[in-house]
Amino acid sequence: DVPPITAASGHASLFADRFVIRADSGHITAAQGGQIDISGTSFTIPDVHIKRGPAQARIRTDSTVTATLSLLDEKPFRFMTKAGQPVTLADGRAELAGRLDFLLKPNLTPDEVAFDVDGKLRELRSETLVQGRVLAAPEMTVNADNTAIRVEGAGRIGRVPFEASWQSPLGPVDGQRSSKVTGWVELSERFVDEFSIGLPPGSLSGAG
């Protein structure tokens, strides 16, 4: 179900029943967001004699945020769908590295894939994360595993500085989808202006 690799070059080896193939260069084209550079990605079968045995993919990607989120939402993973978020969540660049462990069998289900992906989001900009506000950050970190997706870092909501961590479980909690934000936001005159608090100009000084 994952898009095919094109313009690939690399090497493969079979030694002592262990098979490894590595892409030194190449890319895939996501359903949305353009091409994803997958240079450094590898696929390993520890023992080729085990029928429907374990396999591991070590993934490295470099692309737009939209392309990365689109890839993470492919079958059988559906990470963004599980989190109840669109693949167009934000604009920017994403560099990810992670591991997927699974069995070489047909009709693989999401529960049979163990994964852990970490990365950096650069020049991030979103009009979706905070409704009615533009959220921007020079760099944030992201992690996705079988339990949740997390994004954290420092940036601005409109003109107001913040530092926060957003987390959403991959799947309903008590029958409902939920997400949580923890962190801080500056309280100052620009906070009053940005969120239309209604105080007269100059009535608030300093910051907290």
Side-chain angles (χ1 to χ4, degrees), residues 187-205:
L187 297 180
S188 63
E189 186 171 9
R190 54 185 167 185
F191 177 90
V192 171
D193 294 340
E194 182 68 34
F195 291 93
S196 304
I197 303 301
L199 296 176
S203 62
L204 183 66
S205 62

Side-chain angles (χ1 to χ4, degrees), residues 122-200:
R122 294 189 169 90
E123 302 304 324
L124 190 68
R125 186 180 187 277
S126 174
E127 298 180 14
T128 303
L129 281 171
V130 180
Q131 187 174 4
R133 299 280 179 254
V134 175
L135 182 149
E139 182 176 302
M140 302 190 88
T141 60
V142 61
N143 169 261
D145 58 27
N146 289 78
T147 62
I149 181 170
R150 310 168 188 84
V151 180
E152 60 185 5
R156 291 179 180 272
I157 301 176
R159 298 184 300 114
V160 183
F162 76 92
E163 185 170 347
S165 173
W166 169 79
Q167 177 173 315
S168 182
L170 292 180
V173 177
D174 297 329
Q176 297 181 344
R177 295 194 180 278
S178 64
S179 62
K180 179 175 67 175
V181 174
T182 58
W184 61 261
V185 62
E186 178 190 274
L187 297 180
S188 63
E189 186 171 9
R190 54 185 167 185
F191 177 90
V192 171
D193 294 340
E194 182 68 34
F195 291 93
S196 304
I197 303 301
L199 296 176

